[in-house]
Amino acid sequence: MMSRPILGRVLRSGSPLYSYVYSDYPMPVGSYVYAEFSVLDRASGSKVGRRVIGVVSNSSYSPIIERPSIVDLRSESSQEYSVPSISIMSIYIVADITSDKPETPRYPLPPGTAIYPAPPEYLRILYELPEKGFIRIGSLSEYSGIEIRLRVNELSRHFLVTGATGSGKSNTVAIIADRLTRIGAPVMIFDVHGEYVGLQPEDGDSSRVRVYEASISPYKIPPKILASMIIRDPAATKQRRLLARALRILNREIGDTCSKGYGISLAVGEIYSKRSAAKRISEDLDEEPAQTPSSMYKKILVDIVRSISGSSKAYDSKVVESVIDKVDDFFETSPIDLEAPRVVDMIETGRIIVIDVSRLSDDQKAWVLKLYVDELLDHLKMTVASGRRSLPVVFIVEEAPLFLPADSSTPAKESLQRFAREGRKFGGVLGIVSQRPRSLDPNVASQLQNFIFLKLVQEEDRRAVMNIADSLDDSLAQILPSLPKGRAIVMGEWIGRFPVLVDIDQHTGKRRGVSPDLYGLWSSGSRASEEIVEEKFSIEGGWVL
Ligand SMILES: Nc1ncnc2c1ncn2[C@@H]1O[C@H](COP(=O)(O)OP(=O)(O)OP(=O)(O)O)[C@@H](O)[C@H]1O
Ligand SMILES: [Mg+2]
């Protein structure tokens, strides 16, 4: 028997996985507890002892008497009015640790069983894993001395980090990315809000972070895809066909010029000057002459669109003008860079590769994501097919609901589904970050088998995560609304057989996404915002940006 204080006693057990415990005082939600009890062994007819570890997942506190009398409540004899109370707590039974090898609990705790604080040495049996092959993500809830580690080889089952806004998702991503890169992994973060741009690794070695501002290279995107990016109306098939044809012609011409030893931008310049000299590029009076490679590219493209329509009766002038308008719009509003690197050129051992897509529109983000994910999977597959050893890559998608809504389609959805389905065989690890698990596409969700569940308040989200992780029991999921910042239920093969409540380490490197100190910024009279406004005005007072 334990010599520690009894925290409470079992009132009733609903199953081997959960019990209600009563006590004079409530224990904090998230506390680990221990119990020992006997069960009858039918074979021998004798009683055998069992030992289990559980965690407090919910608690209530109520008066024992139904209704205190009004006379009592008004009594002024004492300042402190005490009502005899009882606390009822739900305990999720995590594991049976009777033998050296922890097992899934099979016996419900008998009513009256004493509940104790969990001794650290038992928790270590359950959770502590060797260092080799693992990365640390934090410590056991309420036991800062017990390290919690993730088994790196199980990452190929992909992972999901989910929690309400501000619950600590991006901090968790920073910890995982930082520690995986320290063992040599390339980790790419598709950074929707540009919050990892200033990320500093924990060890201060800033060469481990590489930031790419995502831009679109019209030359490097398959023409059919670029045409769909530019002409989004699904019904406008004729326009898209015309544009794709023009893109194909132009890109072939660039390719031919490049093969003579030119770089892409120079090749475009060369083609542009040839066409201008031959007066093939129409000079628009209200337009400035093209100066950058991308504006030259656009002008040549428009020229080709016009010449295709001139030589074919298939496209009337309305179609042609509409294509040109959309091309103009696209080149005006999108970050275009002919030399933008491909995603496979970004892969580097031991680097956090931040892909900052914050300047793109939501639709462009989805297209760029599609391109990257397709390209990455193709690259991994081809490496394996050619018999070379592939370098596994972790690709983390922030704000996944933007790309993976359950009930509508986005340009990236199918590609992410394919990556989730096929990636693991080829060394592609997908990390999905979402604050709304209820709206996550079930096809991708069903491929995710490692989980970090941070605070979730909405009932629908709790139901959703129980659907996604079928081994997440209702009685443990009750804890989700009361999780403090940075504390999570971690589940899946990367942690072992039993769910664990973890205080995720706080990432010490800077990250832009952390909540701004509004009070501090305002009260210190910061003038930063005025300076930015001034920069945007020209001397005449007009907007120049
Ligand atoms: N494990 C932790 N320990 C201590 N503080 C934390 C922890 N995790 C997050 N925080 C703090 O909580 C705040 C929000 O964290 P974070 O940006 O990771 O949340 P988020 O879930 O990504 O939010 P959002 O949905 O808005 O992107 C930050 O100020 C961060 O420093
Ligand atoms: Mg975040």
Side-chain angles (χ1 to χ4, degrees):
M1 280 287 134
M2 296 277 300
S3 59
R4 295 174 156 238
I6 293 179
L7 296 173
R9 286 189 183 276
V10 172
L11 180 68
R12 170 168 91 75
S13 293
S15 84
L17 285 182
Y18 76 93
S19 297
Y20 292 105
V21 166
Y22 63 93
S23 163
D24 290 342
Y25 295 102
M27 285 176 268
V29 169
S31 313
Y32 274 87
V33 296
Y34 167 81
E36 40 193 37
F37 57 97
S38 315
V39 295
L40 185 68
D41 177 39
R42 296 211 175 270
S44 63
S46 59
K47 290 200 160 184
V48 291
R50 311 245 33 134
R51 302 182 299 153
V52 294
I53 292 287
V55 65
V56 178
S57 58
N58 203 351
S59 88
S60 66
Y61 206 19
S62 354
I64 294 173
I65 42 171
E66 285 273 295
R67 195 181 301 143
S69 87
I70 214 77
V71 178
D72 285 347
L73 285 171
R74 288 191 180 149
S75 153
E76 285 167 14
S77 57
S78 146
Q79 284 284 3
E80 229 174 80
Y81 179 77
S82 104
V83 180
S85 302
I86 186 170
S87 170
I88 307 280
M89 285 159 287
S90 318
I91 310 277
Y92 172 74
I93 309 299
V94 181
D96 183 316
I97 55 161
T98 309
S99 71
D100 289 344
K101 277 182 89 182
E103 312 163 49
T104 304
R106 286 186 297 132
Y107 299 95
L109 272 61
T113 303
I115 299 292
Y116 304 94
E121 59 274 24
Y122 292 170
L123 291 167
R124 284 208 173 88
I125 301 177
L126 202 53
Y127 292 126
E128 222 167 45
L129 297 162
E131 272 182 43
K132 200 166 157 44
F134 295 80
I135 55 160
R136 177 191 156 115
I137 56 153
S139 52
L140 190 67
S141 152
E142 309 281 339
Y143 290 80
S144 56
I146 300 181
E147 276 200 18
I148 300 296
R149 304 194 184 106
L150 300 177
R151 189 174 289 145
V152 173
N153 278 353
E154 297 298 339
L155 271 169
S156 54
R157 294 164 191 263
H158 311 309
F159 64 94
L160 169 68
V161 178
T162 185
T165 172
S167 57
K169 298 181 293 298
S170 301
N171 177 77
T172 305
V173 167
I175 287 286
I176 293 177
D178 200 324
R179 297 186 180 168
L180 282 176
T181 50
R182 230 182 298 170
I183 57 168
V187 179
M188 306 190 132
I189 304 176
F190 195 75
D191 186 4
V192 172
H193 300 303
E195 52 176 319
Y196 298 88
V197 168
L199 184 70
Q200 287 289 324
E202 293 172 296
D203 61 4
D205 175 6
S206 49
S207 70
R208 284 204 294 115
V209 180
R210 189 92 72 195
V211 178
Y212 290 92
E213 209 171 287
S215 41
I216 297 166
S217 168
Y219 175 60
K220 294 182 181 175
I221 299 177
K224 220 170 152 184
I225 290 183
L226 185 58
S228 309
M229 282 170 88
I230 297 175
I231 294 163
R232 282 146 56 189
D233 176 4
T237 40
K238 221 168 188 184
Q239 298 181 15
R240 249 192 315 276
R241 210 176 318 129
L242 170 60
L243 180 58
R245 208 170 136 197
L247 284 164
R248 240 174 267 128
I249 294 172
L250 174 52
N251 288 354
R252 206 172 303 134
E253 202 171 332
I254 297 174
D256 289 347
T257 317
C258 284
S259 65
K260 291 177 199 148
Y262 288 90
I264 299 166
S265 299
L266 280 179
V268 170
E270 177 70 12
I271 297 168
Y272 183 80
S273 30
K274 266 198 202 150
R275 282 179 174 252
S276 307
K279 292 259 182 295
R280 289 185 42 200
I281 295 194
S282 49
E283 285 307 330
D284 222 334
L285 286 180
D286 54 349
E287 249 187 77
E288 304 220 343
Q291 279 165 345
T292 60
S294 58
S295 58
M296 290 181 204
Y297 184 99
K298 187 200 84 179
K299 286 205 162 194
I300 310 170
L301 183 63
V302 167
D303 190 48
I304 296 176
V305 167
R306 287 222 161 92
S307 64
I308 295 176
S309 65
S311 62
S312 154
K313 295 243 170 328
Y315 306 104
D316 63 42
S317 64
K318 245 173 77 191
V319 169
V320 176
E321 287 317 308
S322 163
V323 168
I324 293 174
D325 273 355
K326 283 173 188 148
V327 168
D328 272 339
D329 257 11
F330 185 80
F331 276 74
E332 222 164 79
T333 56
S334 319
I336 308 278
D337 176 3
L338 284 169
E339 316 260 3
R342 288 174 203 264
V343 74
V344 292
D345 302 329
M346 303 177 188
I347 302 171
E348 272 182 286
T349 324
R351 290 277 196 287
I352 303 176
I353 300 135
V354 177
I355 305 170
D356 173 15
V357 289
S358 57
R359 291 192 311 154
L360 307 185
S361 70
D362 284 356
D363 191 58
Q364 288 170 344
K365 284 174 186 153
W367 278 109
V368 169
L369 179 59
K370 174 198 169 50
L371 286 169
Y372 285 5
V373 169
D374 283 350
E375 218 173 275
L376 187 58
L377 185 61
D378 286 350
H379 161 78
L380 292 167
K381 278 182 165 177
M382 257 147 62
T383 319
V384 171
S386 66
R388 279 173 291 152
R389 241 183 56 176
S390 83
L391 178 68
V393 178
V394 181
F395 194 94
I396 300 175
V397 183
E398 267 275 358
E399 290 286 345
L402 206 55
F403 313 111
L404 286 171
D407 48 9
S408 56
S409 81
T410 75
K413 191 165 165 177
E414 222 175 280
S415 302
L416 285 166
Q417 287 172 345
R418 195 162 69 102
F419 193 94
R421 222 173 31 238
E422 301 175 17
R424 87 179 46 158
K425 288 176 246 147
F426 303 97
V429 175
L430 185 63
I432 292 290
V433 183
S434 164
Q435 55 170 278
R436 280 172 62 91
R438 80 184 96 151
S439 51
L440 193 63
D441 169 50
N443 291 310
V444 167
S446 67
Q447 298 291 331
L448 308 172
Q449 288 174 31
N450 292 306
F451 308 101
I452 295 190
F453 299 130
L454 291 137
K455 176 179 179 146
L456 280 171
V457 181
Q458 304 277 328
E459 178 61 25
E460 292 103 308
D461 284 329
R462 262 180 289 154
R463 296 255 148 256
V465 294
M466 283 166 57
N467 268 335
I468 297 171
D470 15 331
S471 54
L472 175 60
D473 192 86
D474 196 10
S475 51
L476 181 58
Q478 282 182 53
I479 207 171
L480 291 168
S482 42
L483 289 175
K485 200 173 270 187
R487 183 174 288 175
I489 301 174
V490 182
M491 299 180 72
E493 290 295 320
W494 64 354
I495 199 81
R497 279 178 57 204
F498 306 103
V500 51
L501 212 54
V502 183
D503 286 333
I504 310 269
D505 288 336
Q506 184 169 18
H507 194 268
T508 49
K510 278 209 192 82
R511 194 165 44 84
R512 211 193 266 168
V514 292
S515 320
D517 167 20
L518 296 182
Y519 181 80
L521 287 168
W522 283 331
S523 61
S524 68
S526 164
R527 304 185 65 79
S529 54
E530 289 173 29
E531 281 155 23
I532 290 169
V533 170
E534 272 164 24
E535 265 177 29
K536 286 193 175 178
F537 276 101
S538 69
I539 299 165
E540 294 82 26
W543 286 98
V544 293
L545 285 185

